[in-house]
Amino acid sequence: MRWNLGLAYVAALLGCASESLAADTSVVRDGETGFTFSEFRAAYQIGLYITFRVAIPAPAPPNYDLVFQIIAPSAVGWTGLAWGASMVNNPLTIGWASGNTPVASVRRTSIRTQPQIYDGAKLQLLKTGTKVNGTHWQITAKCSGCSSFATTGSNTKSLNPAGSNRLAFAYSKNRPNSASSAAVLSVHEVYNYWDHDFSTAGNIDFDQLVQRNS
Ligand code: HEM
Ligand SMILES: *[C@@H]1O[C@H](CO)[C@@H](O)[C@H](O)[C@H]1NC(C)=O
């Protein structure tokens, strides 16, 4: 009886903690690119992770550009970040490896079928930090249009540079069969959500770092 109460008490505490504003991310400085990122490690299978990192300018102007990094084990066919934490009505930034070529694509959809190319957000791949090696593929890209975007009707969503933002990812084991950003994506096996702290993702020298890594 005491044991059961103990567990309930711990569960209640955990419930409380996950409902607070605490984010699911930690801060890393990437030695290769020089960006300070806040990062989330997303489990896509038990014990296997895709790393999603976000860097923003400090201070962040309205509709700020951001830099994101995806670090995925080779076995990841494609993975994508949903900036509005939903499959629908927000920019989806997808990455995969086509042989030794890392590929990125921005998609969008209003229904849960294959998202099509979206030109309302623009990506610039940064040369440093974008690569394929024997164990991983990695993308580092600047996105214009990922921090603020139209959702439905005349609504706009803007991600808070000073707090946590709900994001989502999706994972598929199936690799798209070309290096075209319009390549066919097969449906994901896994998706999930997290709270990404943007307040720790600030970079005073954001523009210089973009330049230096281009
Ligand atoms: C061929 C491509 C895709 C197909 C056919 C597809 C289909 C679907 C379907 C049917 C669901 C509902 C699942 C359920 O209710 O159990 C779903 C959910 C979801 N998908 Fe996709 N999807 C595709 C690509 C993507 C991409 C590229 C992303 C990018 C991140 C994504 C993110 C999500 C998320 C986050 C959900 C959870 C529901 C939501 O938050 O809207 N999907 N998808
Ligand atoms: C391959 O890339 C991953 C991701 O960037 C990195 O962690 C790993 O150290 C690299 N492996 C080698 C052998 O360079």
Side-chain angles (χ1 to χ4, degrees), residues 86-186:
S86 168
M87 175 158 172
V88 294
N89 303 319
N90 68 145
L92 309 170
T93 53
I94 324 290
W96 64 91
S98 177
N100 284 325
T101 308
V103 185
S105 175
V106 190
R107 308 287 181 104
R108 185 170 169 127
T109 181
S110 58
I111 50 169
R112 292 188 177 91
T113 57
Q114 189 196 178
Q116 302 299 312
I117 291 279
Y118 174 61
D119 64 10
K122 298 276 183 227
L123 294 188
Q124 177 196 344
L125 279 181
L126 302 187
K127 211 176 293 166
T128 311
T130 299
K131 61 190 178 186
V132 179
N133 68 17
T135 60
H136 292 77
W137 56 265
Q138 179 175 327
I139 278 168
T140 306
K142 183 180 89 168
C143 182
S144 309
C146 286
S147 75
S148 186
F149 43 86
T151 53
T152 51
S154 56
N155 296 316
T156 296
K157 181 164 191 172
S158 296
L159 302 182
N160 181 3
S164 277
N165 297 292
R166 195 87 171 142
L167 302 181
F169 84 101
Y171 149 82
S172 170
K173 62 179 163 38
N174 297 117
R175 197 173 300 283
N177 68 5
S178 93
S180 160
S181 59
V184 173
L185 303 177
S186 57

